[in-house]
């Protein structure tokens, strides 16, 4: 069966697709089908799909300068395997290619699965092919250069130990909305043994690193993450395609550094030891800002083991609310813990409230909250949290006058 397309326009089918005109044949060939009344052949039927569509992108003013585009596919499908010999999309000098195989086993769900894949991006702009995903307004150039190479075997999709193989992804110097990007990811897992993952990413001088080793064969598992982001303002163009509610809260400036580590025994992964340390300055977004922010956390396990979390911040603003300083502490364990919050703000209660309460003097306000909480598990494996406020107080920032808010258990 051969289909001949003449001036096919994807945008006429769906406005989110590119404005282009494509012409060319697509052929579907079935092999190995038994003749009517003939015995079932030893080999399974195979469907082969091949096609090449050529055309040009539409531009506001059609000209010879419009990039030539081409789509190519060559694949086989049978009950035993999907073989993708080639899938390629090109627009001018830019291209995206993918080849691979997926082999199905005799078990339920086609298990075990065997797979391999190779792919490449060269100066590729995905928004050229999916313009409906492009954010509104002007944006910088997007050019992706990447390489994919991987293979493996899947015996149990629901568990990490049921995945074996290796995958390597390299993002060579690229751009997204004008922001320079590069990075790499390498992951591997030998069946029944330790799995590892190492990832590095850099965007406009901001760097993120992640290393992970799964626990196996008596070896403890461990994970490490580090962040060094001295120029967060340069990342703002990356947020343009995100939903507005989320975009409004993401930083458009400032700097941040941080690290986190975790380590867990092979026999008792719930006894994970973890710690984190984050420092940031000059953070700002359309909805909030923080001149300085720091947080430290340290803990072990998920029950009665020690837990410590501390957060300090200075000159915070969010939706009209302002704080000069903030200090918060959480101590104890995940099962039973105590919370202490102290905050100072330049804001004060309205004058009528001070007159009504008879509290005058000082400037600004300071608040203190002391509370405790505990987690109560139930036989179903879930549970509930309950808390208790021990003390709540608000008064003038310099401590003069009577508290205008006081409550104690």
């Amino acid at each position: 069966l051969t289909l001949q397309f003449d001036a096919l326009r994807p945008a006429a089918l769906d406005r989110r697709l590119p404005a282009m005109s494509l012409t060319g044949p697509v052929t579907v060939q079935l092999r190995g089908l038994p003749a009517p009344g003939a015995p079932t052949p030893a080999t399974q039927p195979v469907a082969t799909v091949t096609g090449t569509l050529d055309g040009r992108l539409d531009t506001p003013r059609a000209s010879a300068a419009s990039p030539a585009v081409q789509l190519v596919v060559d694949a086989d499908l049978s009950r035993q395997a999907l073989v993708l010999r080639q899938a390629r999309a090109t627009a001018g000098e830019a291209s995206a290619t993918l080849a691979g195989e997926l082999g199905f086993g005799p078990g339920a769900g086609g298990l075990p699965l065997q797979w391999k894949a190779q792919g490449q991006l060269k100066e590729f702009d995905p928004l050229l092919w999916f313009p409906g995903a492009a954010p509104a307004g002007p944006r910088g150039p997007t050019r992706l250069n990447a390489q994919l190479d991987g293979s493996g075997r899947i015996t149990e999709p629901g568990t990490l130990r049921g995945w074996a193989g290796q995958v390597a992804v390299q993002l060579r110097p690229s751009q997204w909305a004008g922001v320079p990007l590069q990075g790499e990811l390498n992951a591997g897992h030998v069946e029944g043994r330790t799995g590892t993952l190492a990832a590095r990413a850099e965007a406009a001088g901001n760097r993120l690193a992640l290393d992970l080793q799964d626990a196996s064969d008596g070896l403890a598992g461990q994970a490490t993450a580090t962040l060094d982001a001295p120029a967060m303002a340069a990342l703002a163009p990356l947020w343009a395609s995100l939903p507005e509610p989320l975009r409004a809260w993401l930083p458009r400036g400032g700097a941040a550094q941080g690290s986190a580590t975790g380590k867990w025994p092979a026999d008792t992964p719930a006894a994970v030891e973890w710690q984190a340390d984050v420092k940031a300055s000059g953070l700002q977004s359309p909805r909030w800002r923080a001149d300085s922010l720091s947080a430290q956390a340290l803990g072990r396990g998920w029950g009665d083991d020690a837990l410590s979390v501390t957060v300090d911040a200075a000159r915070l603003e969010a939706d009209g609310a302002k704080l000069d300083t903030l200090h918060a502490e959480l101590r104890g364990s995940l099962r039973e813990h105590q919370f202490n919050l102290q905050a100072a703000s330049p804001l004060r209660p309205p004058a009528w409230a001070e007159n009504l309460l008879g509290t005058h003097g000082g400037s600004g306000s300071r608040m203190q909250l002391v509370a405790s909480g505990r987690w109560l598990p139930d036989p179903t494996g879930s549970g509930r949290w309950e808390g208790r406020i021990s003390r709540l107080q608000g008064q003038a920032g310099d401590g003069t006058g009577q508290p205008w808010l006081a409550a104690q258990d």
Side-chain angles (χ1 to χ4, degrees), residues 345-360:
S345 171
L347 304 179
R348 293 176 56 182
W352 65 265
E354 291 186 336
N355 292 331
L356 179 64
L357 297 171
T359 58
H360 300 278

Side-chain angles (χ1 to χ4, degrees), residues 63-393:
S63 68
S66 301
V69 297
Q70 185 181 68
L71 296 175
V72 176
V73 64
D74 184 0
D76 286 344
L77 176 62
S78 68
R79 292 185 61 182
Q80 288 85 20
L82 168 63
V83 179
L84 181 62
R85 284 181 289 273
Q86 180 180 214
R88 186 177 74 247
T90 60
E93 298 298 320
S95 63
T97 60
L98 179 65
E101 296 183 19
L102 181 61
F104 308 110
L111 297 176
L113 295 173
Q114 303 274 359
W115 67 274
K116 65 178 180 179
Q118 299 83 38
Q120 185 180 48
L121 301 178
K122 179 182 176 183
E123 296 295 307
F124 186 71
D125 181 0
L127 298 180
L128 182 69
W129 296 91
F130 304 99
R139 61 181 177 89
T142 295
R143 300 287 184 269
L144 300 181
N145 297 284
Q147 186 80 31
L148 164 69
D149 190 5
S151 62
R153 172 184 171 91
I154 304 172
T155 55
E156 297 180 50
T159 65
L160 180 60
R161 294 180 181 275
W163 294 66
Q166 57 281 325
V167 60
V169 179
Q170 287 187 330
L171 180 63
R172 300 189 177 98
S174 302
Q175 284 184 308
W176 186 279
V179 179
L181 304 172
Q182 61 181 345
E184 62 179 348
L185 182 147
N186 292 279
H189 185 214
V190 177
E191 196 166 348
R193 299 180 62 187
T194 299
T196 61
L197 181 146
R200 304 289 184 269
E202 181 177 346
N206 301 281
R207 298 177 179 85
L208 177 66
L210 174 64
D211 293 282
L212 171 67
Q213 176 180 294
D214 185 32
S216 181
D217 295 336
L219 298 175
Q222 56 186 1
T224 302
T226 59
L227 171 69
D228 181 17
M232 299 186 72
L235 301 178
L238 298 179
W239 316 146
S241 59
L242 298 176
E244 173 57 31
L246 175 60
R247 189 166 68 243
W249 287 95
L250 290 173
R252 307 291 179 88
Q257 294 79 37
S259 64
T261 61
K263 188 175 182 179
W264 57 96
D267 52 348
T268 53
V272 57
E273 297 180 6
W274 53 272
Q275 64 178 11
D277 188 354
V278 178
K279 292 181 174 62
S281 61
L283 298 179
Q284 55 182 325
S285 81
R287 298 290 299 273
W288 64 278
R289 60 169 293 169
D291 281 7
S292 67
L293 179 67
S294 66
Q296 298 81 38
L298 179 67
R300 182 180 187 276
W302 307 106
D304 298 318
D305 295 302
L307 169 68
S308 173
V309 179
T310 303
V311 177
D312 289 284
R315 289 174 291 281
L316 293 170
E317 294 185 26
D319 288 342
K322 297 181 179 181
L323 292 177
D324 289 330
T325 61
L326 173 71
H327 176 77
E329 292 183 355
L330 183 67
R331 298 285 186 268
S333 67
L334 286 175
R335 196 180 305 277
E336 293 199 27
H337 38 268
Q338 299 77 45
F339 180 68
N340 190 333
L341 173 67
Q342 300 178 38
S345 171
L347 304 179
R348 293 176 56 182
W352 65 265
E354 291 186 336
N355 292 331
L356 179 64
L357 297 171
T359 58
H360 300 278
S363 60
S365 306
R366 67 182 183 184
M367 298 280 295
Q368 182 181 27
L369 171 66
V370 179
S372 61
R374 59 178 179 168
W375 175 257
L376 302 175
D378 60 33
T380 65
S382 59
R384 62 185 177 88
W385 181 88
E386 64 177 28
R388 182 178 183 180
I389 296 177
S390 304
R391 183 183 183 190
L392 177 62
Q393 180 173 296

